[in-house]
């Protein structure tokens, strides 16, 4: 008998600066209930799901940033209702949030996601490794992308967990552009990768048609799922947050690389799919039998070199 799990991606429409974590939690609870009514048992929510995408603003007062956007404990009083409702409904979930901790005598801040089991316990934590954007103030830009200012690079690596009868890994937003992140999860047997994102419709760094940005989002998801023989569930926060637009296109991709479900709006929306987890296991035994076909003796540069260099022999 194959392992089946109905999985949902719960896309969030915009959260404005004036929205509180309590407002966001109310909407997340509604989405959770909708996913449950569709038969889903596991739900993926977006990156930084309790607040607006605050790294678009330069804010000099870190105390205010901490107060408005960072969680010192999860669940907190404001976010507890989501955990309570998930436990009541017997649902697992992935969710992203801004994490602030005190460690070794200093304050550390991460862009974090957790896996929560149907009994309400936090079983896994991932801290975003690939932080896009910049740390310096760009007052002339239409908007900024200050993840490098507000967060440290994640220090927990890429891990998987045996969870709800599957092997699940987590990534966050920009990680989806880096094949290495998926491959490290796949090398640990990942059958499902959960990923939340916030992707601006405009490219801050150079002109790019919005349709091309969506095209990249879709082809990356399809390629990463197929080449790593894993289900991939991506949930975005999207729409116009205080006038800054982000695209939707939340999706569930099968290990075959086929898009199994995709959102249609830029608002709160749930999509769901019956996932045959053994499809991932089957492809790992055949087309992507890593043990039989990979040649790591030729992949050394992947870990030895960061930026591309043309070696003298090739010039
Ligand atoms: N939140 C993100 O990591 N966003 C990036 C944007 C800035 C390119 C992304 O990869 O979608």
């Amino acid at each position: 008998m194959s392992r089946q799990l109905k999985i949902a991606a719960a896309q969030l429409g915009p959260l404005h600066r004036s929205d509180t974590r309590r407002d966001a939690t109310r909407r997340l609870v509604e989405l959770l209930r909708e996913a449950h009514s569709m038969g889903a048992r596991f739900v993926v929510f977006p990156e930084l799901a309790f607040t607006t995408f605050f790294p678009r603003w330069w804010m000099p007062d870190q105390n205010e940033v901490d107060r408005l956007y960072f969680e010192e404990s999860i669940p907190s009083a404001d976010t507890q209702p989501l955990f309570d409702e998930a436990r009541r409904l017997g649902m697992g979930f992935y969710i992203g949030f801004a994490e602030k901790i005190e460690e070794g005598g200093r304050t550390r801040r991460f862009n974090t996601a957790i896996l929560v089991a149907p009994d309400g316990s936090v079983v896994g934590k991932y801290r975003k490794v690939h932080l896009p954007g910049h740390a310096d103030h760009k007052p002339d830009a239409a908007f900024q992308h200050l993840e490098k200012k507000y967060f440290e690079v994640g220090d927990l690596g890429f891990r998987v967990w045996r969870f709800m009868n599957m092997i699940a890994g987590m990534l966050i937003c920009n990680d989806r552009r880096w094949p290495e992140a998926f491959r490290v999860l796949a090398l640990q047997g990942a059958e499902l990768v959960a990923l939340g994102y916030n992707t601006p419709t405009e490219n801050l760094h150079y002109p790019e048609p919005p349709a091309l940005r969506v095209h990249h989002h879709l082809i990356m998801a399809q390629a990463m799922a197929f080449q790593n023989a894993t289900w991939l569930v991506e949930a975005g926060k999207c729409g116009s947050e205080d006038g800054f637009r982000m695209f939707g296109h939340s999706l569930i991709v099968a290990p075959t690389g086929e898009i199994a479900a995709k959102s249609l709006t830029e608002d709160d929306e749930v999509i769901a799919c019956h996932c045959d987890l053994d499809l991932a296991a089957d492809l790992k035994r055949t087309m992507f039998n890593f043990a039989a076909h990979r040649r790591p003796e030729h992949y050394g540069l992947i870990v030895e070199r960061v930026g591309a260099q043309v070696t003298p022999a090739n010039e």
Side-chain angles (χ1 to χ4, degrees):
M1 175 105 163
S2 67
R3 289 171 301 147
Q4 303 280 333
L5 183 66
K6 192 152 189 189
I7 296 178
Q11 175 177 285
L12 265 176
L15 280 173
H16 305 293
R17 265 180 142 167
S18 55
D19 290 318
T20 65
R21 267 111 117 180
R22 241 174 238 268
D23 297 331
T25 302
R26 259 193 296 276
R27 280 168 56 187
L28 293 165
V29 167
E30 281 310 308
L31 290 168
L32 183 83
R33 288 182 181 145
E34 189 177 338
H36 182 261
S37 74
M38 293 162 82
R41 291 292 169 267
F42 177 65
V43 187
V44 177
F45 291 110
E47 172 191 32
L48 301 174
F50 296 106
T51 67
T52 194
F53 190 70
F54 64 88
R56 69 169 68 88
W57 288 294
W58 177 269
M59 293 174 280
D61 182 351
Q62 186 62 51
N63 289 332
E64 194 195 12
V65 175
D66 288 346
R67 183 175 58 77
L68 291 175
Y69 303 118
F70 278 82
E71 306 292 333
E72 290 183 28
S73 68
I74 194 90
S76 59
D78 286 345
T79 60
Q80 185 72 51
L82 176 67
F83 291 73
D84 292 346
E85 188 63 358
R87 191 174 56 241
R88 191 182 74 77
L89 296 172
M91 296 180 71
F93 66 93
Y94 158 113
I95 197 158
F97 62 101
E99 180 189 24
K100 175 176 173 246
I101 57 165
E102 299 299 324
E103 194 176 74
R106 66 187 175 110
T107 304
R108 308 186 69 188
R109 297 175 185 82
F110 298 99
N111 185 341
T112 296
I114 47 172
L115 267 186
V116 181
D119 68 2
S121 59
V122 176
V123 298
K125 180 180 278 189
Y126 167 67
R127 291 174 174 153
K128 186 174 181 179
V129 166
H130 297 102
L131 298 175
H134 51 101
D136 57 315
H137 191 16
K138 296 187 188 300
D140 297 332
F143 63 95
Q144 307 197 44
H145 200 106
L146 291 155
E147 286 195 57
K148 286 187 185 341
K149 166 178 164 59
Y150 292 121
F151 304 115
E152 281 183 53
V153 171
D155 61 349
L156 301 176
F158 301 108
R159 290 189 53 200
V160 300
W161 291 266
R162 284 194 184 275
F163 174 77
M164 297 185 78
N165 203 24
M166 61 179 164
I167 303 172
M170 292 187 276
L171 296 175
I172 301 177
C173 196
N174 193 260
D175 290 323
R176 75 196 192 283
R177 299 177 193 271
W178 304 99
E180 298 88 339
F182 280 90
R183 185 47 57 97
V184 173
L185 294 178
L187 283 168
Q188 298 168 83
E191 296 170 324
L192 175 132
V193 176
L195 183 150
Y197 63 91
N198 286 264
T199 302
T201 301
E202 298 293 329
N203 186 332
L204 165 67
H205 304 284
Y206 56 91
E208 190 180 30
L212 189 56
R213 287 173 72 72
V214 173
H215 175 69
H216 295 154
H217 164 69
L218 300 178
I219 59 170
M220 287 187 298
Q222 293 186 260
M224 299 297 175
F226 177 55
Q227 292 177 333
N228 295 288
T230 175
W231 286 91
L232 172 58
V233 184
E234 298 193 356
K237 179 150 63 58
C238 56
S240 181
E241 291 191 333
D242 288 322
F244 299 96
R245 192 165 166 208
M246 301 187 294
F247 65 68
H249 300 278
S250 298
L251 77 178
I252 301 176
V253 186
T256 53
E258 293 163 286
I259 295 177
K262 192 168 85 61
S263 67
L264 297 174
T265 70
E266 288 189 349
D267 218 325
D268 292 8
E269 181 179 344
V270 179
I271 56 170
C273 175
H274 269 295
C275 299
D276 175 359
L277 299 167
D278 285 324
L279 189 54
D282 288 347
L283 275 167
K284 287 179 199 299
R285 271 192 296 272
T286 52
M287 168 76 79
F288 293 110
N289 182 337
F290 288 172
H293 306 303
R294 290 185 75 251
R295 290 285 161 236
E297 68 272 27
H298 293 293
Y299 306 155
L301 275 186
I302 299 271
V303 287
E304 286 160 18
R305 190 174 285 179
V306 182
Q309 284 168 35
V310 180
T311 54
N314 298 332
E315 276 172 336

